[in-house]
Amino acid sequence: ELAIIAIGPLTNLARVERRRPGALRKVRDILIMGGGIARANVRPYAEFNFWHHPEAAKEVFASIAHPVLFPLDLTTSLCFDATQAARLASVDGARHIGAWFRNAHAALDNRTREFGDRCAFLHDTFPVGFLLDPAAFQVKRVNLGIEAGTAEAGRSSVIPGGMPNAWQAFSVHTGLIDDFIADLGR
């Protein structure tokens, strides 16, 4: 069984579906980091992955049965801090790159603060975390709408009523990052 983790604009998946209609329905899981229900990052109304190619995002969600969405609302709920970076750098097998890893985290942390975020967020790791430990997440069925071809192209929103077309991850175990670091050390 195949699982796809999408952490960028959905252009490639839309292209697959256009070339081979129904191909995405054969995939067991499509886990998508994208969109924002109450949060945005590239425009006041949109997250980058959906904003960059909103038509593709809309097409993919219309083509698949059970996508799981990890929006900014969720991915900004956990911080990756200096203590975690130091613990990760000290895990057996990573010690030889420990100094590099701590420096990389410091640069990431500085960059995220320049963007006005309170800490470093690991947006793209959430779908991976779900694949490894789905019980750490809470999800709900939603009717997800994605604006395309409008002045607010890329806006994603939950539309009350209607037929649900996605699972939305809305909560995650707060110790998820620490748990993964601990698992690496075993």
Side-chain angles (χ1 to χ4, degrees):
E1 294 186 320
L2 179 65
I4 295 174
I5 296 175
I7 58 171
L10 301 177
T11 307
N12 54 351
L13 294 179
R15 187 172 292 140
V16 165
E17 190 60 28
R18 273 185 247 118
R19 288 186 180 168
R20 302 230 192 274
L24 295 180
R25 289 197 181 275
K26 296 176 183 177
V27 176
R28 184 192 75 198
D29 292 311
I30 299 182
L31 311 175
I32 300 169
M33 188 280 122
I37 308 307
R39 288 196 52 120
N41 61 3
V42 70
R43 295 285 188 265
Y45 54 84
E47 178 274 336
F48 178 81
N49 293 343
F50 284 14
W51 170 82
H52 183 75
H53 197 171
E55 296 81 9
K58 192 169 190 162
E59 187 176 338
V60 167
F61 276 88
S63 301
I64 54 181
H66 305 288
V68 182
L69 177 69
F70 299 85
L72 284 179
D73 311 67
L74 176 69
T75 66
T76 56
S77 67
L78 293 182
C79 291
F80 182 62
D81 62 34
T83 302
Q84 292 165 323
R87 283 184 44 228
L88 185 57
S90 69
V91 169
D92 284 341
R95 288 191 179 122
H96 66 285
I97 60 167
W100 174 88
F101 197 84
R102 283 188 291 280
N103 290 337
H105 176 268
L108 172 64
D109 198 46
N110 288 337
R111 187 71 174 149
T112 58
R113 291 184 196 288
E114 287 175 18
F115 282 116
D117 289 328
R118 61 184 161 78
C119 63
F121 299 120
L122 302 178
H123 304 288
D124 299 340
T125 63
F126 279 70
V128 176
F130 183 84
L131 189 65
L132 296 173
D133 186 9
F137 293 81
Q138 288 185 304
V139 297
K140 62 184 175 184
R141 292 289 285 159
V142 296
N143 182 6
L144 183 72
I146 301 168
E147 292 289 325
T150 69
E152 292 191 345
R155 175 186 293 275
S156 52
S157 57
V158 173
I159 302 168
M163 180 66 84
N165 61 351
W167 288 96
Q168 177 196 341
F170 67 91
S171 179
V172 62
H173 167 56
T174 57
L176 182 72
I177 296 171
D178 292 321
D179 291 350
F180 284 138
I181 295 169
D183 285 348
L184 288 172
R186 292 185 189 143

